[in-house]
């Protein structure tokens, strides 16, 4: 399935600024970074969580633990997948009492975030679970809202949002378009 670009809505500098702003907001809301854990949803949430952790470290001088989460087995449409591919999940050992920030590239229906929350709770009981996304495109199907948003991008249901990150795609950009 291809993708027909309608517009480039974020470039490298926009993404860098959004990540830095999100890091500042996370630090402010949590009164520092001492009890923070960032957890990136595979695939593009992982490099975004690392970038946010680097920004937090430059602001606070504290290294924030970063985890990777594969939500495949927690998806509510798992039964429709022919051959699900499960990749590594790594979460820091003790989530008890921590402020866990789930990081993802695009917030759409909310179903991926619900799956991520279920997975995290299986690993421990954090004090809070918060959500940071690079792009919020609307159209929620579940009562889920991001705490930190890089860009609100109103879309139609027919449109798609594609996030490209250097670590995965060789460039930093956000595109809006249509499936081919």
């Amino acid at each position: 399935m291809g993708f027909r670009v309608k517009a480039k809505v974020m470039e490298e500098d926009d993404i860098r600024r959004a990540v830095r702003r999100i890091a500042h907001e996370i630090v402010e809301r949590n009164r520092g970074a001492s009890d923070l854990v960032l957890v990136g949803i595979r695939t593009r949430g992982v490099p975004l969580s690392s970038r946010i952790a680097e920004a937090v470290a430059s602001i606070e001088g504290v290294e924030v633990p970063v985890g990777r989460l594969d939500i495949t087995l927690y998806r509510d449409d798992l039964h429709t997948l022919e051959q699900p591919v499960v990749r590594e999940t790594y979460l820091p050992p003790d989530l008890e009492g921590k402020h866990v920030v789930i990081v993802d590239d695009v917030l759409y229906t909310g179903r991926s975030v619900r799956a991520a929350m279920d997975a995290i709770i299986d690993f421990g009981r954090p004090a809070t679970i918060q959500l940071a996304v690079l792009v919020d495109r609307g159209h929620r199907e579940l009562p889920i809202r991001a705490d930190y948003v890089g860009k609100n991008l109103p879309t139609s249901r027919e449109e798609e949002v594609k996030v490209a990150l250097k670590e995965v795609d060789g460039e930093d950009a956000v595109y809006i378009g249509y499936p081919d």
Side-chain angles (χ1 to χ4, degrees), residues 3-4 15 23 29-31 35 46 58 60 68 73 75 82-84 86 89 111 122 126 137 139 148-149 152 156 174:
F3 180 73
R4 191 168 24 99
I15 292 172
R29 177 173 176 176
N30 292 285
R31 294 186 174 98
D35 287 327
V46 173
S58 74
E60 288 291 293
R68 306 176 287 287
L73 296 177
R75 291 173 50 135
E82 230 174 87
Q83 189 68 25
V86 178
T89 287
R111 293 181 180 278
D122 277 354
R137 63 168 290 191
H139 304 288
Y148 315 100
V149 178
N152 285 294
S156 72
V174 177

CSV table of all heavy atoms in Angstrom, one decimal, residues 3-4 15 23 29-31 35 46 58 60 68 73 75 82-84 86 89 111 122 126 137 139 148-149 152 156 174:
chain,number,residue,atom,x,y,z
A,3,PHE,N,1.4,5.6,-0.5
A,3,PHE,CA,1.0,6.9,0.2
A,3,PHE,C,1.2,8.0,-0.8
A,3,PHE,O,2.3,8.2,-1.3
A,3,PHE,CB,1.8,7.0,1.4
A,3,PHE,CG,1.4,8.3,2.2
A,3,PHE,CD1,0.3,8.3,2.9
A,3,PHE,CD2,2.3,9.4,2.3
A,3,PHE,CE1,-0.1,9.5,3.7
A,3,PHE,CE2,2.0,10.5,3.0
A,3,PHE,CZ,0.8,10.5,3.7
A,4,ARG,N,0.1,8.8,-1.0
A,4,ARG,CA,0.2,10.0,-1.9
A,4,ARG,C,0.2,11.2,-1.0
A,4,ARG,O,-0.7,11.5,-0.3
A,4,ARG,CB,-1.1,9.9,-2.8
A,4,ARG,CG,-1.0,10.9,-3.9
A,4,ARG,CD,-2.2,10.7,-4.9
A,4,ARG,NE,-3.3,9.9,-4.4
A,4,ARG,CZ,-4.5,10.5,-4.0
A,4,ARG,NH1,-4.6,11.8,-4.1
A,4,ARG,NH2,-5.4,9.8,-3.6
A,15,ILE,N,10.1,19.3,14.3
A,15,ILE,CA,10.1,18.2,15.1
A,15,ILE,C,11.0,18.4,16.3
A,15,ILE,O,10.7,18.1,17.4
A,15,ILE,CB,10.5,16.9,14.3
A,15,ILE,CG1,9.3,16.6,13.3
A,15,ILE,CG2,10.7,15.7,15.2
A,15,ILE,CD1,9.6,15.5,12.3
A,23,ALA,N,9.5,18.0,26.2
A,23,ALA,CA,10.4,17.7,27.3
A,23,ALA,C,10.2,18.7,28.5
A,23,ALA,O,10.1,18.4,29.6
A,23,ALA,CB,11.8,17.6,26.9
A,29,ARG,N,5.3,19.6,34.5
A,29,ARG,CA,4.2,19.0,35.1
A,29,ARG,C,4.6,18.0,36.2
A,29,ARG,O,3.8,17.8,37.2
A,29,ARG,CB,3.4,18.2,34.0
A,29,ARG,CG,2.2,17.5,34.6
A,29,ARG,CD,1.4,16.9,33.6
A,29,ARG,NE,0.3,16.1,34.2
A,29,ARG,CZ,-0.6,15.5,33.5
A,29,ARG,NH1,-0.7,15.6,32.2
A,29,ARG,NH2,-1.5,14.8,34.1
A,30,ASN,N,5.7,17.3,36.1
A,30,ASN,CA,6.1,16.3,37.1
A,30,ASN,C,7.1,16.9,38.1
A,30,ASN,O,7.7,16.1,38.9
A,30,ASN,CB,6.7,15.1,36.3
A,30,ASN,CG,5.7,14.4,35.5
A,30,ASN,OD1,4.8,13.7,36.1
A,30,ASN,ND2,5.6,14.6,34.2
A,31,ARG,N,7.3,18.2,38.1
A,31,ARG,CA,8.2,18.9,39.1
A,31,ARG,C,9.6,18.3,39.1
A,31,ARG,O,10.1,17.9,40.2
A,31,ARG,CB,7.5,18.8,40.5
A,31,ARG,CG,6.3,19.6,40.6
A,31,ARG,CD,5.7,19.7,42.0
A,31,ARG,NE,4.6,20.6,42.0
A,31,ARG,CZ,3.3,20.1,42.0
A,31,ARG,NH1,3.1,18.8,41.9
A,31,ARG,NH2,2.3,21.0,42.1
A,35,ASP,N,11.4,10.9,39.1
A,35,ASP,CA,10.6,9.7,39.1
A,35,ASP,C,10.0,9.4,37.7
A,35,ASP,O,8.9,8.7,37.6
A,35,ASP,CB,9.4,9.8,40.1
A,35,ASP,CG,10.0,9.6,41.5
A,35,ASP,OD1,10.9,8.9,41.7
A,35,ASP,OD2,9.4,10.3,42.5
A,46,VAL,N,9.6,4.8,19.8
A,46,VAL,CA,10.9,4.5,20.5
A,46,VAL,C,12.0,5.6,20.3
A,46,VAL,O,12.5,6.1,21.3
A,46,VAL,CB,11.4,3.1,20.1
A,46,VAL,CG1,12.8,2.8,20.6
A,46,VAL,CG2,10.4,2.0,20.5
A,58,SER,N,19.2,17.2,29.2
A,58,SER,CA,19.9,18.5,29.0
A,58,SER,C,19.2,19.6,29.9
A,58,SER,O,19.9,20.6,30.3
A,58,SER,CB,19.9,18.9,27.5
A,58,SER,OG,18.6,19.3,27.1
A,60,GLU,N,17.4,19.0,32.9
A,60,GLU,CA,17.4,18.7,34.3
A,60,GLU,C,18.7,18.1,34.8
A,60,GLU,O,18.9,18.0,36.0
A,60,GLU,CB,16.3,17.7,34.7
A,60,GLU,CG,14.9,18.3,34.7
A,60,GLU,CD,14.7,19.3,35.8
A,60,GLU,OE1,14.7,18.9,37.0
A,60,GLU,OE2,14.6,20.5,35.5
A,68,ARG,N,11.0,0.3,25.7
A,68,ARG,CA,10.4,0.1,24.4
A,68,ARG,C,9.2,-0.9,24.6
A,68,ARG,O,9.4,-1.9,25.3
A,68,ARG,CB,11.4,-0.6,23.5
A,68,ARG,CG,12.7,0.0,23.3
A,68,ARG,CD,13.7,-0.8,22.5
A,68,ARG,NE,14.2,-2.0,23.1
A,68,ARG,CZ,15.1,-1.9,24.1
A,68,ARG,NH1,15.6,-0.8,24.5
A,68,ARG,NH2,15.6,-3.0,24.6
A,73,LEU,N,0.4,-8.0,21.2
A,73,LEU,CA,-0.4,-9.0,21.9
A,73,LEU,C,-1.5,-8.3,22.7
A,73,LEU,O,-2.4,-9.0,23.2
A,73,LEU,CB,0.4,-9.9,22.8
A,73,LEU,CG,1.4,-10.7,22.1
A,73,LEU,CD1,2.3,-11.5,23.0
A,73,LEU,CD2,0.7,-11.7,21.1
A,75,ARG,N,-3.4,-5.7,21.3
A,75,ARG,CA,-4.3,-5.1,20.4
A,75,ARG,C,-5.7,-5.7,20.4
A,75,ARG,O,-5.8,-6.9,20.6
A,75,ARG,CB,-3.7,-5.2,19.0
A,75,ARG,CG,-2.5,-4.3,18.8
A,75,ARG,CD,-1.8,-4.6,17.5
A,75,ARG,NE,-2.8,-4.5,16.4
A,75,ARG,CZ,-2.6,-3.9,15.2
A,75,ARG,NH1,-1.4,-3.3,15.0
A,75,ARG,NH2,-3.5,-3.8,14.3
A,82,GLU,N,-3.2,-12.0,10.5
A,82,GLU,CA,-2.8,-13.3,10.0
A,82,GLU,C,-1.7,-13.9,10.7
A,82,GLU,O,-1.8,-15.0,11.3
A,82,GLU,CB,-2.5,-13.2,8.5
A,82,GLU,CG,-3.3,-14.3,7.7
A,82,GLU,CD,-3.0,-14.1,6.2
A,82,GLU,OE1,-2.0,-14.6,5.7
A,82,GLU,OE2,-3.8,-13.4,5.6
A,83,GLN,N,-0.5,-13.3,10.7
A,83,GLN,CA,0.7,-13.8,11.4
A,83,GLN,C,1.3,-12.6,12.2
A,83,GLN,O,2.2,-12.0,11.7
A,83,GLN,CB,1.7,-14.3,10.4
A,83,GLN,CG,2.8,-15.1,10.9
A,83,GLN,CD,2.4,-16.4,11.6
A,83,GLN,OE1,1.4,-17.0,11.3
A,83,GLN,NE2,3.2,-16.8,12.6
A,84,PRO,N,0.8,-12.3,13.4
A,84,PRO,CA,1.4,-11.2,14.1
A,84,PRO,C,2.8,-11.4,14.4
A,84,PRO,O,3.3,-12.5,14.7
A,84,PRO,CB,0.5,-11.2,15.4
A,84,PRO,CG,-0.1,-12.5,15.5
A,84,PRO,CD,-0.2,-13.1,14.2
A,86,VAL,N,5.7,-10.3,16.9
A,86,VAL,CA,5.9,-9.7,18.2
A,86,VAL,C,7.4,-9.4,18.3
A,86,VAL,O,8.3,-10.2,18.1
A,86,VAL,CB,5.5,-10.6,19.3
A,86,VAL,CG1,5.8,-10.0,20.7
A,86,VAL,CG2,4.0,-11.0,19.1
A,89,THR,N,10.0,-6.2,23.9
A,89,THR,CA,9.6,-5.2,24.9
A,89,THR,C,10.6,-5.1,26.0
A,89,THR,O,11.1,-6.1,26.5
A,89,THR,CB,8.2,-5.5,25.5
A,89,THR,OG1,7.2,-5.4,24.5
A,89,THR,CG2,7.9,-4.7,26.7
A,111,ARG,N,-6.7,3.5,20.3
A,111,ARG,CA,-6.6,2.0,20.6
A,111,ARG,C,-5.2,1.6,20.9
A,111,ARG,O,-5.0,0.7,21.7
A,111,ARG,CB,-7.2,1.2,19.4
A,111,ARG,CG,-8.7,1.5,19.3
A,111,ARG,CD,-9.4,0.7,18.2
A,111,ARG,NE,-10.8,1.0,18.2
A,111,ARG,CZ,-11.7,0.4,19.0
A,111,ARG,NH1,-11.4,-0.5,19.9
A,111,ARG,NH2,-13.0,0.7,18.9
A,122,ASP,N,0.5,-4.5,33.3
A,122,ASP,CA,1.0,-5.9,33.5
A,122,ASP,C,2.4,-5.9,34.1
A,122,ASP,O,2.8,-6.9,34.7
A,122,ASP,CB,1.0,-6.7,32.2
A,122,ASP,CG,-0.4,-7.2,31.9
A,122,ASP,OD1,-1.3,-7.1,32.7
A,122,ASP,OD2,-0.6,-7.8,30.8
A,126,PRO,N,2.3,2.0,38.1
A,126,PRO,CA,2.9,3.4,38.2
A,126,PRO,C,2.0,4.3,39.0
A,126,PRO,O,0.8,4.1,39.1
A,126,PRO,CB,3.0,3.8,36.8
A,126,PRO,CG,2.4,2.8,35.9
A,126,PRO,CD,1.9,1.7,36.8
A,137,ARG,N,-4.1,13.8,15.6
A,137,ARG,CA,-4.9,14.0,14.4
A,137,ARG,C,-6.4,13.9,14.6
A,137,ARG,O,-7.2,14.0,13.7
A,137,ARG,CB,-4.5,13.1,13.3
A,137,ARG,CG,-4.7,11.6,13.6
A,137,ARG,CD,-4.6,10.8,12.3
A,137,ARG,NE,-5.7,11.0,11.4
A,137,ARG,CZ,-5.9,10.3,10.4
A,137,ARG,NH1,-5.2,9.3,10.0
A,137,ARG,NH2,-7.0,10.6,9.6
A,139,HIS,N,-10.2,12.2,15.8
A,139,HIS,CA,-11.0,11.0,15.5
A,139,HIS,C,-10.9,9.9,16.5
A,139,HIS,O,-10.8,8.7,16.2
A,139,HIS,CB,-10.6,10.4,14.1
A,139,HIS,CG,-10.7,11.4,13.0
A,139,HIS,ND1,-11.9,11.9,12.5
A,139,HIS,CD2,-9.7,12.1,12.3
A,139,HIS,CE1,-11.7,12.8,11.6
A,139,HIS,NE2,-10.4,12.9,11.4
A,148,TYR,N,0.7,15.7,26.3
A,148,TYR,CA,1.7,16.5,25.6
A,148,TYR,C,1.6,16.3,24.1
A,148,TYR,O,1.7,15.1,23.7
A,148,TYR,CB,3.1,16.1,26.1
A,148,TYR,CG,3.2,16.0,27.6
A,148,TYR,CD1,3.2,14.7,28.2
A,148,TYR,CD2,3.3,17.1,28.5
A,148,TYR,CE1,3.2,14.6,29.6
A,148,TYR,CE2,3.3,16.9,29.8
A,148,TYR,CZ,3.3,15.7,30.4
A,148,TYR,OH,3.4,15.5,31.8
A,149,VAL,N,1.5,17.3,23.4
A,149,VAL,CA,1.2,17.2,21.9
A,149,VAL,C,2.2,18.1,21.2
A,149,VAL,O,2.3,19.3,21.5
A,149,VAL,CB,-0.2,17.6,21.5
A,149,VAL,CG1,-0.4,17.5,20.0
A,149,VAL,CG2,-1.2,16.7,22.3
A,152,ASN,N,-1.2,19.6,16.9
A,152,ASN,CA,-2.6,19.2,16.6
A,152,ASN,C,-2.8,19.3,15.1
A,152,ASN,O,-2.5,20.4,14.5
A,152,ASN,CB,-3.6,20.0,17.4
A,152,ASN,CG,-3.6,19.6,18.8
A,152,ASN,OD1,-4.0,18.5,19.2
A,152,ASN,ND2,-3.1,20.6,19.7
A,156,SER,N,-9.2,14.5,7.9
A,156,SER,CA,-10.4,13.8,7.6
A,156,SER,C,-10.1,12.3,7.9
A,156,SER,O,-8.9,11.9,7.9
A,156,SER,CB,-10.9,14.0,6.2
A,156,SER,OG,-10.0,13.3,5.3
A,174,VAL,N,6.9,15.2,8.8
A,174,VAL,CA,5.5,14.7,9.0
A,174,VAL,C,4.8,15.1,7.7
A,174,VAL,O,4.8,16.2,7.3
A,174,VAL,CB,4.8,15.3,10.2
A,174,VAL,CG1,3.4,14.8,10.3
A,174,VAL,CG2,5.6,14.9,11.5
